[in-house]
Amino acid sequence: MRNNAAGKIEGIEQVQPAGVWPSKFMRELRPEIYSDTKDREAYVLSAPVLEYHLDSITSRNQTHDFEVFCRKLCERTICPNLRPQTGPDGGGDSKADTETYSVADEISGLTYVGVANGSEKWAFAFSAKSAWADKVRKDVQGLIDTGRKYDQIICVTSRFAKSKNRAALEHELSERYSVPVTIHDR
C-alpha cells in the first residue's frame, strides 16, 4: 500500500457510509450561505396575488391548505416539533390545528430551525375568518376547555390586525386564562 498523487491509499477502497451528513443537511437547508452551491430557481409571488389568495381562502374552500401552509410556516419560524392533525376534519375534533410533541433535551439541543421546544406543550390555532378577534377568542376558549394544560397558545390569522387591538386581545386572553397567548396576523 502506498499513497498516490491524490493522497489516497492505493489498495484500500474508501467507502462513505450512507446517511445524512450535517454538511449536506445544512447545505440543503441554507444553500445561499455556501459559495459552491448551484443557484436554485426562485419563485416570486407578488403581494397583490398573495393578498387575493389570503382574502379569498374561505370562499375557495381552501382552509385546509391554509392550515398546512401555516403549520409549515410555524415549523420554520417558531418551533419544528409540530404534530399535524389528521383525519377528515383536520383540527376540528381536537380544537388545536397543531400541537407540539415532546422531544428529548439531547435532541432539542440540535435544533437548527426555530426554538428548541422540548417539553412544553404549545397549541396552535389557524384561521382565515374575517372576524379574526372573535375567532381567536373562540379558539382560545375551546383550547382551554379541552383541559390539556397548554404552556402557550399561538393563533395565526390570515387577516390584518391592528397592533393595538392585537396586543389588547393577547393581554385580555392571557390574563383571563393564565396562559400566554400570541397572535400572528398577516
Side-chain angles (χ1 to χ4, degrees):
M1 288 185 274
R2 61 176 197 199
N3 288 341
N4 64 14
K8 293 183 180 178
I9 300 174
E10 292 179 14
I12 296 179
E13 184 179 332
Q14 293 182 344
V15 178
Q16 188 172 9
V20 179
W21 288 87
S23 59
K24 182 178 178 188
F25 173 76
M26 290 304 295
R27 205 175 285 272
E28 289 175 8
L29 189 64
R30 300 273 192 254
E32 67 277 3
I33 64 172
Y34 293 90
S35 62
D36 62 340
T37 302
K38 294 178 184 172
D39 289 336
R40 293 190 297 181
E41 288 186 43
Y43 299 97
V44 178
L45 183 64
S46 67
V49 172
L50 178 61
E51 287 190 17
Y52 167 76
H53 279 279
L54 290 174
D55 284 337
S56 61
I57 283 172
T58 54
S59 63
R60 288 180 287 112
N61 199 21
Q62 289 184 312
T63 53
H64 178 71
D65 295 337
F66 177 70
E67 289 175 7
V68 171
F69 171 72
C70 287
R71 181 175 45 82
K72 295 290 186 182
L73 191 59
C74 288
E75 284 175 346
R76 295 283 298 192
T77 59
I78 299 174
C79 70
N81 56 318
L82 297 180
R83 176 185 308 150
Q85 299 300 327
T86 58
D89 295 330
D93 293 337
S94 69
K95 301 297 181 196
D97 292 318
T98 187
E99 295 177 336
T100 55
Y101 55 87
S102 296
V103 177
D105 290 336
E106 296 82 7
I107 295 173
S108 66
L110 302 174
T111 301
Y112 292 107
V113 179
V115 177
N117 172 24
S119 60
E120 287 188 350
K121 190 165 184 76
W122 295 356
F124 290 75
F126 308 130
S127 173
K129 290 193 174 186
S130 58
W132 67 269
D134 294 334
K135 178 66 167 127
V136 166
R137 282 187 182 93
K138 182 180 174 189
D139 286 344
V140 171
Q141 176 69 53
L143 290 166
I144 295 299
D145 289 346
T146 65
R148 283 184 273 216
K149 306 289 184 204
Y150 292 110
D151 297 301
Q152 171 101 10
I153 297 175
I154 299 169
C155 300
V156 179
T157 177
S158 67
R159 306 301 173 164
F160 288 112
K162 188 175 180 181
S163 60
K164 178 181 174 183
N165 298 340
R166 179 189 45 75
L169 185 56
E170 287 175 341
H171 180 72
E172 169 195 327
L173 295 172
S174 296
E175 291 290 317
R176 181 184 301 164
Y177 299 112
S178 300
V179 175
V181 175
T182 304
I183 302 168
H184 295 287
D185 66 321
R186 185 183 299 181

